[in-house]
Amino acid sequence: MVMTSFRKTKAYENVLDKLKNYIKENELQPGDRLPSERELVDQLQVSRSSIREGLRAIELLGLIETKTGEGTFLRSYQSYRTLSLLAMFIFQDPNTKIDILEVKRLIEKEALKMAFASDRLGVVEQWEEIAQVKNGQTISKHRAFYQVVFQSAKNDLLEKMWRLMDEFVETFHVQQYSDRFYLKVKNVFVQDHYQEIEKIFETAEG
Amino acid sequence: MVMTSFRKTKAYENVLDKLKNYIKENELQPGDRLPSERELVDQLQVSRSSIREGLRAIELLGLIETKTGEGTFLRSYQSYRTLSLLAMFIFQDPNTKIDILEVKRLIEKEALKMAFASDRLGVVEQWEEIAQVKNGQTISKHRAFYQVVFQSAKNDLLEKMWRLMDEFVETFHVQQYSDRFYLKVKNVFVQDHYQEIEKIFETAEG
DNA sequence: GCATTCCATTGGTCTGACCACTCAACCACT
DNA sequence: AGTGGTTGAGTGGTCAGACCAATGGAATGC
């Protein structure tokens, strides 16, 4: 008996494949609406159950968003729920925790360098606005700080990756951000000392 | 009208929560079997459709594996699968192509620095072995080169991210890797000039 | 012009049905 | 006792159809 280990593709996997192509062909952007579930039934010739299995799967991934009465929409990132779910499994390997922290830190450093090169003084200006307005939680201060950075770094992918990791880290690690760190970074920017960025990150702080 | 932005949790999300607890309480290990879909219907008091939406979602994530006629089984987590899923959609955005190239280059640079700090001479040694053995295509030479790097950089996440980008870049961009580049990097390693790594990447080459 | 009502559309959920596959218990034959 | 085939219960895979709640725009009334 020949055992051609041939895995029959499931209906919902086909749905995802078709959906991916649909998004590509129509060049859908985050926020754009996907066809309704019932329209997809007609177009893909599978039952609504299968359609929904596929949609729920990528919803969990945070790739789409559904609104009752309106429809299904593409979105760009975010899904704290999934991350906390994955966290449980990912930490079967304790090393990944360290890896994530390391990569996140690396991204922060490089993003700062990119922002520095792109719009050094503009960044400083925005940081000062934040410092005046925001007296809120340290976590939102932290995000506001880097939002400015990524806006000037002009690399959406890098920002998406950072946000994922930042949210993920939040699931297992109480992040502490010292005001000293922000101040140090700002001074480096003000004084136009590009090389110092590397050195700041060589210390344990961050 | 008060708009308490209150998101009603969906049935399949509850399923996942309960399932997570079940796994935790019973200390299920990869390979262990979960309750059948029909059993879960009884236990969780939701319809089989909702059960399946949840199961299909975490199946896509690679957390479980289903075998027709047998059941649903816990699976050892495969982070690459999750990452490639996310990448599949994130990379879809045509605007990110340039971003990907930039981030990939950034990762290569930082990985080199990590490898340098970790095992400078060991890396050089392995590079020389490659140079002798491999006379094959430039693409495989390129991958072998960085495989050595990542092995010493000791960060799996970084390597996986790089692999995804490298594979993706191949689909739209003819990668050119000049022997001169490798040689330059090797020399920097041999001569123990850590600072030069940054400078190599400041040129257009790569 | 504006507020209200109404209704088609959309996602959310459930029920019940049928199929293909797996595995173990059972049975018949040697 | 051992072999091999049959059978049936259980499992995931898929489907059709139904009802609900929320949404938003069109029709309506003032």
Side-chain angles (χ1 to χ4, degrees):
Chain A
M1 168 108 187
V2 184
M3 274 301 297
T4 46
S5 166
F6 178 67
R7 199 174 132 281
K8 198 184 163 205
T9 67
K10 298 174 186 174
Y12 86 95
E13 293 175 326
N14 276 324
V15 170
L16 292 181
D17 220 40
K18 300 278 178 60
L19 221 44
K20 190 183 73 180
N21 291 335
Y22 179 88
I23 293 170
K24 191 168 195 171
E25 284 170 14
N26 298 64
E27 296 184 14
L28 295 196
Q29 300 294 315
D32 288 349
R33 188 171 170 283
L34 293 172
S36 77
E37 297 179 354
R38 289 167 179 86
E39 281 171 0
L40 287 173
V41 169
D42 287 339
Q43 291 179 24
L44 308 187
Q45 289 295 304
V46 292
S47 73
R48 199 174 152 213
S49 323
S50 298
I51 300 281
R52 281 186 62 85
E53 286 182 10
L55 288 178
R56 261 2 85 208
I58 57 176
E59 181 185 66
L60 186 67
L61 272 176
L63 302 177
I64 60 172
E65 183 180 11
T66 57
K67 297 175 186 169
T68 310
E70 295 186 63
T72 306
F73 302 86
L74 209 57
R75 81 171 172 192
S76 46
Y77 62 97
Q78 189 193 4
S79 62
Y80 185 85
R81 165 164 235 96
T82 313
L83 294 178
S84 66
L85 186 71
L86 283 177
M88 171 177 162
F89 293 89
I90 284 181
F91 296 147
Q92 288 170 356
D93 182 1
N95 288 332
T96 53
K97 203 185 286 191
I98 300 169
D99 287 358
I100 292 171
L101 285 170
E102 192 174 28
V103 173
K104 176 168 169 281
R105 195 177 165 80
L106 184 158
I107 289 178
E108 289 166 353
K109 186 188 70 183
E110 293 298 312
L112 278 169
K113 284 159 73 175
M114 286 159 74
F116 186 105
S118 155
D119 183 23
R120 183 172 64 86
L121 293 178
V123 169
V124 171
E125 203 171 307
Q126 290 179 71
W127 277 341
E128 283 171 347
E129 284 176 22
I130 293 174
Q132 289 178 353
V133 178
K134 288 254 183 182
N135 292 319
Q137 299 139 327
T138 56
I139 181 72
S140 60
K141 197 195 290 182
H142 154 74
R143 297 224 162 111
F145 177 85
Y146 277 109
Q147 193 185 323
V148 170
V149 173
F150 283 109
Q151 202 172 325
S152 295
K154 292 192 177 55
N155 188 313
D156 286 344
L157 177 61
L158 204 62
E159 180 174 8
K160 283 177 191 170
M161 285 167 37
W162 180 81
R163 292 178 98 132
L164 272 170
M165 289 185 219
D166 194 59
E167 286 172 17
F168 194 88
V169 166
E170 209 181 331
T171 68
F172 68 85
H173 186 266
V174 181
Q175 310 196 39
Q176 40 190 3
Y177 309 95
S178 68
D179 287 330
R180 250 205 2 268
F181 175 76
Y182 300 127
L183 215 57
K184 209 188 285 184
V185 174
K186 202 184 87 176
N187 282 337
V188 168
F189 268 58
V190 170
Q191 293 162 18
D192 202 4
H193 290 163
Y194 182 84
Q195 301 295 337
E196 293 293 316
I197 298 178
E198 286 280 343
K199 288 178 187 162
I200 290 178
F201 279 85
E202 281 167 12
T203 73
E205 205 173 1
Chain B
M1 167 99 190
V2 185
M3 270 305 297
T4 46
S5 166
F6 178 68
R7 197 174 138 286
K8 198 184 161 203
T9 66
K10 298 175 187 174
Y12 87 96
E13 293 176 328
N14 275 323
V15 171
L16 292 182
D17 267 351
K18 300 276 180 60
L19 221 45
K20 192 173 79 175
N21 292 334
Y22 178 89
I23 293 170
K24 210 165 196 166
E25 285 170 14
N26 298 64
E27 296 182 14
L28 294 196
Q29 298 299 313
D32 288 350
R33 188 172 172 283
L34 293 172
S36 77
E37 298 180 354
R38 288 167 179 86
E39 281 171 3
L40 288 174
V41 169
D42 287 339
Q43 292 180 23
L44 308 187
Q45 289 296 304
V46 292
S47 73
R48 200 175 152 214
S49 326
S50 298
I51 299 281
R52 281 186 62 84
E53 286 182 10
L55 288 177
R56 259 6 84 207
I58 58 175
E59 181 185 65
L60 186 70
L61 284 177
L63 302 182
I64 60 173
E65 183 179 13
T66 55
K67 296 177 186 168
T68 310
E70 296 185 62
T72 307
F73 302 86
L74 206 57
R75 189 177 181 181
S76 60
Y77 178 69
Q78 302 165 327
S79 57
Y80 190 76
R81 183 188 172 85
T82 313
L83 286 174
S84 70
L85 272 170
L86 287 171
M88 185 163 84
F89 285 83
I90 289 178
F91 291 176
Q92 208 66 256
D93 185 350
N95 298 330
T96 60
K97 279 185 183 176
I98 298 172
D99 291 355
I100 292 172
L101 286 172
E102 192 176 23
V103 173
K104 176 169 168 281
R105 193 177 165 81
L106 183 159
I107 290 178
E108 289 165 354
K109 185 189 70 183
E110 293 298 312
L112 279 170
K113 283 159 73 175
M114 287 160 74
F116 186 105
S118 155
D119 183 23
R120 183 173 63 87
L121 293 178
V123 169
V124 172
E125 202 171 308
Q126 289 178 73
W127 277 341
E128 283 172 347
E129 284 176 23
I130 292 173
Q132 289 177 352
V133 178
K134 287 251 182 182
N135 290 320
Q137 300 139 326
T138 57
I139 181 70
S140 60
K141 198 196 288 182
H142 154 73
R143 297 223 162 112
F145 177 86
Y146 278 109
Q147 192 186 324
V148 170
V149 173
F150 283 109
Q151 203 171 325
S152 295
K154 292 190 178 57
N155 188 313
D156 283 345
L157 177 61
L158 203 63
E159 177 174 9
K160 285 168 186 167
M161 284 167 33
W162 179 82
R163 251 171 67 200
L164 280 170
M165 293 186 207
D166 194 62
E167 285 166 13
F168 186 80
V169 166
E170 208 182 336
T171 66
F172 69 87
H173 186 265
V174 181
Q175 311 196 45
Q176 41 189 1
Y177 309 96
S178 67
D179 286 331
R180 250 203 5 265
F181 174 76
Y182 301 127
L183 215 57
K184 210 188 286 184
V185 174
K186 203 183 87 177
N187 282 338
V188 168
F189 268 58
V190 170
Q191 294 161 18
D192 202 4
H193 290 163
Y194 182 84
Q195 301 295 338
E196 293 292 316
I197 298 177
E198 286 280 343
K199 289 177 186 163
I200 289 178
F201 279 85
E202 280 167 15
T203 72
E205 203 174 4

